[in-house]
Amino acid sequence: YQRRVRDHEMAHLYPSLVRSEYKDKDWKNKSHEEYVRALEKSSTIYVGNLSFYTTEQQLWELFSRCGDIKRIIMGLDSKKFTPCGFCFVEYYRRSDAEDLSLIHI
């Protein structure tokens, strides 16, 4: 089952399109310009709103359509160590992360 994702439902990959007030705790002493430059080079994407039953294998199968995946980091519940609905997908190349807009889920 596939459905075409509407533009407003897709995660935005470009910091110039959507600015967030969130800053990683490692960036609290860095300038905004340094933060934006790092985001522009990043090849890591955040994937939220996942089913708690989503497996790492399913994520590999889906996201490898865009390129070679370096690693997937599953968000885990700190007490039960079970998936809790989000992950990070890191690609070897930024261009592969940008190609996510070509996937239709």
Side-chain angles (χ1 to χ4, degrees):
Y1 172 71
Q2 290 188 343
R3 70 178 175 93
R4 187 172 180 89
V5 178
R6 292 183 202 102
D7 289 342
H8 70 275
E9 292 179 88
M10 292 185 68
H12 294 281
L13 298 173
Y14 305 100
S16 61
L17 296 178
V18 176
R19 300 259 183 209
S20 171
E21 295 302 316
Y22 170 80
K23 284 194 179 178
D24 189 294
K25 64 183 177 186
D26 294 338
W27 285 92
K28 69 180 182 177
N29 295 322
K30 306 281 185 185
S31 73
H32 180 71
E33 291 76 22
E34 288 175 295
Y35 186 68
V36 170
R37 275 195 303 274
L39 286 176
E40 290 172 343
K41 293 178 183 178
S42 177
S43 61
T44 302
I45 60 155
Y46 168 81
V47 181
N49 202 27
L50 294 173
S51 164
F52 289 6
Y53 301 102
T54 302
T55 66
E56 191 171 332
Q57 179 62 34
Q58 290 171 320
L59 295 168
W60 277 93
E61 289 174 14
L62 177 64
F63 290 105
S64 64
R65 295 180 194 174
C66 291
D68 295 328
I69 296 172
K70 187 174 186 178
R71 64 183 175 159
I72 293 178
I73 302 167
M74 297 285 291
L76 299 177
D77 180 280
S78 61
K79 294 182 176 136
K80 299 178 188 174
F81 297 105
T82 56
C84 61
F86 74 93
C87 75
F88 293 93
V89 179
E90 184 178 359
Y91 288 94
Y92 285 99
R93 294 181 305 272
R94 173 155 177 99
S95 61
D96 293 338
E98 291 171 347
D99 285 345
L100 282 173
S101 63
L102 304 176
I103 291 182
H104 296 287
I105 300 172

